[in-house]
Amino acid sequence: MSSIASLHLIRASDLPAIVSAARSARTWEAVQQFGAEQDQEYHWSGNVMLEVLNSLDALGIQLEAAGLQEESEAINADFDYTVLITSDAKAFLDRLDPAAHDPGESFDGLAGLRLDEEEAGYALEDTLLLLRDTIARLSDDEVLLLNIG
């Protein structure tokens, strides 16, 4: 089954309203109300994004905000798979450079998605560039809500 990845910018002060909505099974409505969907297009399956996030995590590149675990768990209970990323992730910007990664090495999970070597390279490059560019633009009072569903 295919999934999609969507990215929304949320003001940190609006995150409690989204968490509250999640506890009432109304997360999507709250994200639509308080979040601004990013207009950068992502042409790959959400499964590609998930594989890249998991691979980055295994490499010690933990983009998810450690201080927002409770909020993330509440949202995830209602809204598929969601990762909350803050401006703290800017510490990893240099490690999100596509030139520093080989899809056949640390990102071998992409092959399991039936991507050939060339497609896996493009998918990895597009995903890393999207993450790097979006995180680079985060202000200290914003949270990136990345949803795969």
Side-chain angles (χ1 to χ4, degrees), residues 3 10 12 54 63 65 70 79 89 91 96 110 112 128 138 142-143:
S3 62
I10 311 275
N54 288 338
L63 300 179
E70 287 182 36
F79 198 50
L96 295 175
L110 293 174
L128 290 175
L138 280 175
E142 291 178 316
V143 175

Side-chain angles (χ1 to χ4, degrees), residues 124-144:
L124 178 60
E125 180 179 5
D126 290 350
T127 304
L128 290 175
L129 287 173
L130 175 66
L131 289 169
R132 188 181 68 183
D133 293 348
T134 305
I135 291 168
R137 289 192 310 268
L138 280 175
S139 67
D140 289 341
D141 66 339
E142 291 178 316
V143 175
L144 174 62

Side-chain angles (χ1 to χ4, degrees), residues 36-57:
E37 186 167 11
Q38 296 306 284
D39 53 358
Q40 287 181 299
E41 292 197 25
Y42 184 68
H43 299 287
W44 300 99
S45 162
N47 294 325
V48 170
M49 178 68 76
L50 183 59
E51 279 298 326
V52 170
L53 289 173
N54 288 338
S55 295
L56 288 171
D57 194 52

